[in-house]
C-alpha cells in the first residue's frame, strides 16, 4: 500500500472511531438529557401511542384514553365528570403538556416508570400492546359530588380529610373546567386553552391547594390552641377579662365586635368562640405575642408547603408583625393567609386528639395487570397540641355548632364541631368577604371527617350569618356523604 492511500485509510479509521465514540456518548451518557429535552417531540408522540393508564376513584376510572388514530397521535386523553375531577387529576394534553396527578404520576400512567419494566418486557415478548398503569386516589366519590354540587356556581373550594389517616376525601375548586377541551393539538384545543387562561374567574386555578385567603374567624381555633398550650388560660370557661370595645395595643384604633347583640365584654373563651368575638381573640393574640402565635400556627402547618403529592402553596402566619398587627393576625386578618387545605388540617388535628397526619391523595399505584407497585403508608405531619388541649378545642367547636354561629352544620346522631368565619379583604376591606367554615364530624361507628369550605364574595353580613349560612351547609353535606347520614 502506498503512502497516500495509507494516510487516507488511517484518517477514515479515525473518523469511524470518532463516530462510534460520539454515538456511544449520545446513547449512553446523554440519552436521558436528549429524551427529556423539551424540543424532543418523540417522547410526546410515544406518550400517546398507546392507552394511558387511568386515575381511579372508588374503584372506577375518572379518566379514559380515546382512540383517535391520528398521524402522530394514536390516543387522546378524556375524562368522566371532567368538571368535578379536574382539580384532582389535572390535565394531559398533546399540545400543552400536563399538570397535577397527570404530571406527577406520568411515569406510572404512561407506562415508562422503571418499576413497570418487567410488565412492559412481558408484554413485548407476548405481543401485547403496551399499557400504562393506574393511580388509585383517596377521593370518596360521594363526598366529592356533595362538595361540587354544594358549591354549584359559587366561586370557592372544599377540602375533606380523614383525620385518622390524612387521606383527602374530597378536593373541589370552582369554577372548574373540562381538561378534555384542550387534550388534543388542533386549533380548537388551542382556542380552548387560550380562553381558559384568559378567563378572569381563573377556572384552572386549584383554589383548594394553590390559593390563600385571610381565614377570618376560623383562625380563632389556632389562637385558642396557643392560649391553652402556653398556659394563658386553663379551661374553656375561664373569663378573658377583655374590654368591649378593645383598643389595639400601641394605637388609638378601637376594635369592635360585629353586632350589638354580642356579649363579648369579659366573655369566657367558650362564649367568645360561640359568638365569634373579635375583641376576645385579638386581645388573646396580643397577650401571647407574635412568637408564641407563630410557633403554634407553624405546628398546624402554616409557613410550610404540603405535598399531597400535588404541592400546596404556603399558608402564612407573619413573623414580623407589630403588637397591634398580631392582634389582628390572631383573628385571621391582617397578614394571616390560609389555603382551604390548611384549615381542614386544623380541624383534622383537633378531631384526631392533637395529632396531625400528612395529607395525601394517592393511595396506590398499580400496573395495567392490577399488580400493586406501591401503597401509601400513613405518616404523622406534626403534633400541634396535646390531647388535653385538643379535647378543649373539640368542646369549643361542638358548642359553636350547638349554641353558636354554626348551627346549620348540625347532623342528627353525629357529633359535629365547627367554626364559622367571614374574612374581610381588599383595599379598606372594600371587597365582598370570604365565607368560611371549618369543621369535623364523628359518627357512632368511629368514622370521622374534617372539612374546610371557603366561598368567595359570599355576603356582606357578619361572621355567623355569612360563614354559617353559606359555607356550613356545604360542609354538612360533605360530612353526611362520608358518614353515610
Amino acid at each position: 500500500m502506498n503512502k497516500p492511500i495509507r494516510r487516507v485509510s488511517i484518517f477514515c479509521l479515525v473518523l469511524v472511531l470518532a463516530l462510534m465514540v460520539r454515538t456511544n456518548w449520545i446513547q449512553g451518557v446523554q440519552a436521558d438529557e436528549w429524551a427529556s429535552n423539551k424540543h424532543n417531540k418523540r417522547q410526546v408522540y410515544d406518550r400517546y401511542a398507546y392507552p394511558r393508564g387511568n386515575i381511579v376513584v372508588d374503584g372506577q376510572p375518572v379518566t379514559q384514553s380515546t382512540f383517535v388514530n391520528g398521524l402522530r397521535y394514536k390516543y387522546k386523553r378524556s375524562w368522566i365528570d371532567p368538571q368535578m375531577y379536574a382539580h384532582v387529576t389535572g390535565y394531559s394534553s398533546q399540545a400543552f403538556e400536563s399538570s397535577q396527578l397527570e404530571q406527577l404520576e406520568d411515569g406510572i400512567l404512561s407506562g415508562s416508570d422503571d418499576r413497570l419494566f418487567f410488565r412492559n418486557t412481558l408484554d413485548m415478548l407476548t405481543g401485547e400492546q403496551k399499557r400504562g398503569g393506574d393511580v388509585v386516589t383517596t377521593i370518596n366519590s360521594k363526598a366529592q359530588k356533595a362538595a361540587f354540587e354544594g358549591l354549584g356556581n359559587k366561586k370557592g373550594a372544599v377540602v375533606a380529610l380523614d383525620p385518622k389517616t390524612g387521606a383527602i376525601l374530597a378536593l373541589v375548586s370552582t369554577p372548574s373546567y373540562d381538561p378534555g377541551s384542550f387534550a388534543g393539538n388542533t386549533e380548537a384545543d388551542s382556542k380552548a386553552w387560550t380562553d381558559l387562561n384568559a378567563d378572569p374567574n381563573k377556572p384552572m386555578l386549584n383554589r383548594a391547594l394553590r390559593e390563600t385567603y385571610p381565614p377570618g374567624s376560623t383562625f380563632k381555633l389556632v389562637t385558642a390552641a396557643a392560649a391553652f398550650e402556653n398556659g394563658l388560660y386553663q379551661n374553656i370557661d375561664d373569663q378573658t377579662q377583655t374590654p368591649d370595645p378593645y383598643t389595639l395595643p400601641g394605637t388609638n384604633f378601637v376594635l369592635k365586635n360585629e353586632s350589638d347583640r354580642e356579649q363579648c365584654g369579659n366573655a369566657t373563651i367558650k362564649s367568645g368562640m360561640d359568638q365569634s368575638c373579635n375583641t376576645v381573640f385579638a386581645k388573646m393574640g396580643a397577650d401571647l405575642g407574635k412568637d408564641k402565635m407563630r410557633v403554634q400556627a407553624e405546628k398546624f402547618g402554616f409557613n410550610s408547603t404540603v405535598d399531597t403529592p400535588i404541592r400546596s402553596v404556603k399558608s402564612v402566619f407573619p413573623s414580623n408583625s407589630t403588637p397591634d398587627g398580631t392582634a389582628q393576625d390572631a383573628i385571621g386578618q391582617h397578614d394571616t393567609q390560609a389555603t382551604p387545605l390548611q384549615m381542614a388540617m386544623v380541624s383534622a388535628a383537633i378531631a384526631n386528639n392533637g395529632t396531625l397526619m400528612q395529607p395525601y391523595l394517592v393511595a396506590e399505584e398499580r400496573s395495567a395487570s392490577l399488580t400493586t407497585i406501591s401503597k401509601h403508608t400513613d405518616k404523622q405531619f406534626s403534633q400541634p397540641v396535646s390531647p388535653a388541649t385538643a379535647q378543649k378545642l373539640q368542646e369549643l367547636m361542638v358548642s359553636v355548632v350547638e349554641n353558636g354561629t354554626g348551627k346549620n352544620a348540625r347532623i342528627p346522631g353525629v357529633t359535629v364541631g365547627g367554626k364559622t368565619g367571614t374574612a374581610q379583604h381588599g383595599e379598606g376591606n372594600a371587597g365582598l368577604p370570604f365565607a368560611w367554615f371549618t369543621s369535623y364530624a364523628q359518627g357512632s361507628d368511629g368514622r370521622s371527617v374534617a372539612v374546610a369550605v371557603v366561598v368567595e364574595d359570599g355576603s356582606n353580613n357578619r361572621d355567623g350569618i355569612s360563614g354559617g349560612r353559606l359555607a356550613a351547609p356545604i360542609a354538612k353535606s360533605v360530612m353526611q356523604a362520608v358518614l353515610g347520614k
Side-chain angles (χ1 to χ4, degrees), residues 332-351:
Q333 296 289 169
H334 193 237
D335 292 332
T336 304
Q337 295 283 315
T339 63
L341 172 65
Q342 176 61 75
M343 295 317 298
M345 289 167 65
V346 171
S347 287
I350 293 169

Side-chain angles (χ1 to χ4, degrees), residues 33 67 73 99-100 173 184 204 267 304 312 325 342 350 381 426 449:
E33 181 182 345
F67 183 65
Y73 301 101
S99 71
Q100 298 185 174
S173 176
M204 295 178 69
S304 297
S312 73
Q342 176 61 75
I350 293 169
F381 183 90
V449 57

